[in-house]
Amino acid sequence: MTFDRDRSNPPEIGGGLPVIEYWAKKTLSPQGAKIWKTLLHKSACLSCAWGTGGQKGGFVDEDHQGLQRCAKSVEAIASELQPAIAPEIFDLSIAELQKRNSQEVNNLGRLSHPMILRSGKRHYERISWQEVFEIVTAAFQKPAERVASYSSGRSSNEAAFLLQLLLRTLGSNNLADCSDLCHAASTTGLKTMFGSGTSMVSLESLQHADCVVLVGSNAPANHPRLMNELIKLRDRGGKVMIINPLIEIGLVKFGSPAFPIRSLLPGSEIASLYLQLVPGSDTALFVGIQKALIEQNLVKWNYLRNVTENWEAVINQAKSTAWTEITETCGISQLEIEAAARMIGRARSVVFAWAMGITQHENGVDNVYSIANTALLTGNAGKLGAGTMPIRGHSNVQGFGSMGVTIHLKKEIQQAIEILLGRSLNLSGGYDTRALIEAADRNQVDTLLCLGGNLYAANPDLTEAKRALGKINTIVYLATKPNLGHFHGLAAENTIVLPVFARFENPHRVTTESGNNFVRLNDSGETHLKDADLISEVEFLCELAARLHGNHPIDWRKLQDTRYVRQLIARTIPGYEKIGQIDETGEEFTIANRVFTEPKFPTSSGKAKMFATPLPTLDLPNPEAFGISRNIPHIVLALGTGRSYAQHNTVVYQADDRYRGMPHRNCILMNREDVRQAGLQEHQRVTVQADAGKLEDVEIIFGDIRSGAALMFYPEVNSIFRAKIDPRSGTPAYKRVAAIVYAQRQFHS
Ligand SMILES: Nc1nc2c(c(=O)[nH]1)N[C@H]1C(S)=C(S)[C@@H](COP(=O)(O)OP(=O)(O)OC[C@H]3O[C@@H](n4cnc5c(=O)[nH]c(N)nc54)[C@H](O)[C@@H]3O)O[C@H]1N2
Ligand SMILES: Nc1nc2c(c(=O)[nH]1)N[C@H]1C(S)=C(S)[C@@H](COP(=O)(O)OP(=O)(O)OC[C@H]3O[C@@H](n4cnc5c(=O)[nH]c(N)nc54)[C@H](O)[C@@H]3O)O[C@H]1N2
Ligand code: SF4
Ligand SMILES: [Mo]
């Protein structure tokens, strides 16, 4: 691809007119009427967990604010409204299909019929539902510890509840979920500290904050409506602190279509203070902020004594860590850290929000602890307008956790299910996502059910993922659209791809839970796919369970009526009692005991438990460790991997990222000075290599990124690295991959 200079000039604000242009282009297209119909349908937005839609209508959030739909919602809907895949596509052999990239695969259209790739065959072929159930039922009759599921948070609470009940009734605790790759560090960290693993801040509470500290999040692209809250906070005189190794233009200035006159064109200022730290060093920065809070006498001692435990360890650590160690680790000066501490310590109520820049590290849980410790030191947990707020990913990923799709099942849920089944559950072992891949690679998994997602491409080391999945006998993918996993994540015997309804098409009502703990009711709908043979996830799971377990003690076929599933949820899931009446009242609700406006927490003592957080050691290997000679121009970097503006996780919608000036997918965003010192140039094609492989012909793009750091896009980049794993949460360190960038041989020969 030739480089288009115009496209490399990133805009000076995030959001802005391009968003409106995108809306207009999509909603005025031939597909436009269907997009509008779907936007107005009473169901939750498909895209991110910020959450909007549901019974209040397409554009209204739980706080009754209007105009709360962003272009990302349109992007996700447009993708599901594609026509069915042309049947001729399946005349192509699997080898030919494997040549397509993520965007091309997504653009094939919607899955419309059940398909199977049988062992030894080169083509996917149609299969009847009868044979599907015969094969899958037989596959699930393997020993329970050799049966597993993986899920992704686009599905409903009802499907999630049934999935875990099905696996647990079998005796399997192998419930891997995309959250293992995502916010597991937040769940683990917050649960041990506060006794609750989700955000303690509601949307309403956020609106009472006068300071937001936003860490490791690219909200302008991934949670755009959060930007409206930041704009309003700045308008009311509040402060926003951004902590990120990369200057994301939308975090500096954002033009929001929700405020067309004052914000859209000029853009609203977002960051009051932008701390561009070394990737992976957040714990050091927060320990520094704690040290400065102590030195500036801004610690709330009475609060610490009354409502927290082990605060002395945190105070001692901050006091005894030298300033030089802190500043050398995080690369932020003492002066800036002191300014940050002043901003936090002097604010009335501070919300600490974070996303993948915090969790996807080898010390992800410590990162979360260090943020929460800072909140506690300043009395910012358990009051209106303050608290810890992990910004969740998929639109219902949090609901999956609540429904018990986890290898760490809550005691209360366990007891309730044991009463339901009349016997005890097997909760030993259990594979999270990384453990599942490793177990499969050791030949310990026979059968895998994937409820959505793209297990293959979401993992690090795609060669390993492919090999491991290839050792599983039967893999069943339930999906709305084809993705790379359906063509690369192939089982040893049967790979079955089953087409399901999208959220707004389901023949029954379902519910979803947002990252702000709000439960939405989604109306039933219709699909635009006319001659298709789709199944609802709920129907599939109930039919499979009925064939496996009969109708006692649970009448599985009756659960195809989702009202009965909600009755079971009301009886088994803590905080979800109100779902028992939702069919009659239509009343959506905030889950009980999650949002804290008093400093009383659901831990054994009622106090928050604090933990000291060791500073990370952030070394990078020598070029020789990669087998690269020092004689060719090179640089070893901390490579961060994540999303471009126009993709949803492993699904690419558009190749470029206009806000970062990256014209195509095979780019690396680097610091200008790093490039110069390495003897390389902008737009030069280089090789990027890590511990599992290399990508060639990668174009260097200059960006405002911290020296020593770089950015590339997943899923493509997942082919080159193995990733370190946070031992406490199981999450891969996608945000700090040791990589070498070097000149391609031909450039110098
Ligand atoms: N449009 C769209 N929306 C989405 C998604 C999508 O793919 N597309 N995905 C959904 C999902 S599942 C998720 S999990 C979320 C992801 O939402 P984000 O977490 O915002 O997404 P990432 O692309 O992973 O970007 C993380 C940010 O962390 C910064 N960062 C990297 N390393 C560090 C570090 O060491 N410290 C700090 N402080 N910052 C760092 C990066 O520069 C980047 O700005 O979005 C959800 N919403
Ligand atoms: N290098 C790198 N890797 C990462 C990350 C990173 O930042 N860097 N981020 C990680 C994170 S945070 C996450 S969450 C994972 C994402 O991992 P996954 O959640 O596994 O992947 P997605 O790409 O979101 O899955 C998309 C597919 O879901 C299916 N789908 C969509 N809607 C529905 C539905 O309603 N029902 C069903 N059954 N299927 C549906 C479609 O077939 C679509 O192709 O990736 C992780 N991998
Ligand atoms: S912010 Fe998230 S939930 Fe809200 S409309 Fe945009 S994509 Fe949907
Ligand atoms: Mo995620």
Side-chain angles (χ1 to χ4, degrees), residues 201 205-214 226 229-230 232-234 236-243 270-273 286 289 339-353 374-375 378 380 383-389:
V201 183
S205 182
L206 175 63
Q207 290 164 355
H208 288 84
D210 66 344
C211 178
V212 168
V213 180
L214 183 66
L226 167 58
E229 300 306 323
L230 300 183
K232 287 191 295 178
L233 177 130
R234 290 300 310 270
R236 57 178 188 266
K239 300 265 167 51
V240 175
M241 186 189 308
I242 305 286
I243 300 175
I270 303 295
S272 320
L273 179 66
F286 278 98
I289 293 176
R342 250 191 317 277
M343 189 179 281
I344 294 170
R346 289 191 182 164
R348 186 178 21 85
S349 31
V350 188
V351 168
F352 294 81
T374 311
T378 48
N380 277 303
K383 72 175 185 193
L384 193 68
T388 46
M389 186 171 94

Side-chain angles (χ1 to χ4, degrees), residues 45-52 68-70 72-73 222-226:
C45 171
L46 298 176
S47 190
C48 87
W50 192 250
T52 194
Q68 300 293 319
R69 274 272 167 141
C70 73
K72 296 289 139 194
S73 190
N222 298 322
H223 302 90
R225 294 283 70 95
L226 167 58

Side-chain angles (χ1 to χ4, degrees), residues 46 79-80 102 105-106 110-111 150-156 159 177-183 356-357 359-360 393-395 397 400 433 450-460 477-486 497-506 535 537 640-643 647-653 712-719 721 723 731-735 737:
L46 298 176
S79 184
E80 300 296 340
S102 164
V105 170
N106 186 56
R110 281 284 296 273
L111 294 163
Y150 170 77
S151 45
S152 160
R154 267 274 183 106
S155 248
S156 61
D177 185 74
C178 70
S179 57
D180 304 332
L181 310 174
C182 184
H183 263 296
M356 296 302 100
T359 60
Q360 293 178 335
H394 274 296
S395 54
V397 64
F400 268 70
T433 302
C450 291
L451 187 66
N454 185 352
L455 176 60
Y456 160 75
N459 264 285
Y477 291 111
L478 274 76
T480 54
K481 297 170 302 173
N483 63 44
L484 292 172
H486 305 150
V497 180
L498 303 177
V500 299
F501 293 105
R503 179 175 302 151
F504 55 86
E505 301 170 331
N506 265 315
I535 197 163
E537 292 150 332
T641 68
R643 297 147 179 84
Q647 73 179 76
H648 194 98
N649 296 339
T650 69
V651 178
V652 176
Y653 296 132
M712 286 181 81
F713 298 140
Y714 100 98
E716 295 87 336
V717 74
N718 290 13
S719 58
F721 67 93
T731 305
Y734 293 118
K735 293 294 185 270
V737 175

Side-chain angles (χ1 to χ4, degrees), residues 12-25:
E12 282 167 8
I13 60 170
L17 264 194
V19 174
I20 299 291
E21 282 161 16
Y22 180 85
W23 265 90
K25 193 172 125 214

Side-chain angles (χ1 to χ4, degrees), residues 632-687:
I632 33 175
H634 73 269
I635 179 167
V636 177
L637 292 165
L639 177 66
T641 68
R643 297 147 179 84
S644 76
Y645 179 71
Q647 73 179 76
H648 194 98
N649 296 339
T650 69
V651 178
V652 176
Y653 296 132
Q654 241 171 270
D656 67 325
D657 184 336
R658 60 183 307 153
Y659 293 103
R660 291 169 175 145
M662 295 166 87
H664 55 88
R665 305 278 308 168
N666 206 26
C667 290
I668 182 165
L669 195 77
M670 288 176 66
N671 174 287
R672 186 182 295 264
E673 210 35 44
D674 285 350
V675 174
R676 201 185 57 77
Q677 282 186 9
L680 300 165
Q681 300 165 21
E682 192 178 23
H683 307 312
Q684 185 173 341
R685 298 288 178 153
V686 289
T687 301

Side-chain angles (χ1 to χ4, degrees), residues 114-151:
M115 308 290 295
I116 185 168
L117 182 67
R118 300 176 199 269
S119 74
K121 290 287 168 63
R122 296 172 54 218
H123 293 83
Y124 265 106
E125 59 188 91
R126 280 199 189 173
I127 177 176
S128 69
W129 284 110
Q130 188 187 337
E131 197 188 350
V132 166
F133 281 111
E134 280 164 17
I135 296 177
V136 180
T137 308
F140 266 79
Q141 278 156 350
K142 301 282 175 170
E145 69 278 7
R146 300 181 64 87
V147 174
S149 68
Y150 170 77
S151 45

